[in-house]
Amino acid sequence: MSGHSFGAHTLQALAGQRYPVPADHAAAAAADPRFKAFIAFSPTPGQGADAFAGVTRPFLAITGSHDSDPLRHALTGADRARVYDSLPPGRRALLWLAGADHMSFAGNGEQRLRARFGPLEREPDAAELEPQHHARVAAITTLWWRAQLQGDAAAIEALRAPTGLGEGDRWRQD
C-alpha cells in the first residue's frame, strides 16, 4: 500500500501505527494484515514513544528538505523523516530528497495543481527539481516493491546502495 499526506496517515494506521486513544476504540487497532509492504509519501510523525511499535511489515518513508505542511502547521521534512527512527529496526527505509517539497510527492503537474487549488507556495528549487525527484522516486519505489513483494534478489541488492541519487539526497535502510 502507498499513500501521500492524508493517504500516508491512513497507510500508517493500516500498517499498525498506534494512536493515543482508549484501547477499546477502533482506531487503536486498525492494522490490516492484507498489506505486505508500505510506502508513505510525506508521512506524519506519531504521538508517543511506541506509536510505531506495531508496524512489523516493510515500511518505506519518503520525504524531502522542503516537505512542510501545506496547511501551515509547524511540520517539517525533518519531522517527517523521524518516522524512520520511530519504526522498529529491521524492515524500514527512508528516502530523503534534497529540495523536494510536499507537492513533489503529489503526482500532479503544476498546471493541474493551479487549476484545482490556486497558486500554492513552493520553493523554486522544488518545482525545478520535480522531474528528477519523480525519476528517483519511481526507481526506488519500483525496487522496493520488487524486493518486498517478489523477493527479487537483484532489487534487494540494488537497495543496499541505490544509484542515481542527487547531491544532498539520502537513503537509509535496515
Side-chain angles (χ1 to χ4, degrees), residues 64-67 96-101 104 122-123 125-127 129 133 169:
S65 58
H66 300 309
D67 192 3
W96 171 274
L97 295 175
D101 68 3
S104 298
R122 296 189 73 188
E123 295 290 331
D125 59 333
L129 291 169
H133 289 150
D169 293 348

Side-chain angles (χ1 to χ4, degrees), residues 22-54:
D24 62 342
H25 192 278
D32 188 326
R34 294 176 292 178
F35 298 103
K36 306 301 179 207
F38 302 91
I39 300 175
F41 299 90
S42 301
T44 302
Q47 295 178 344
D50 66 343
F52 290 96

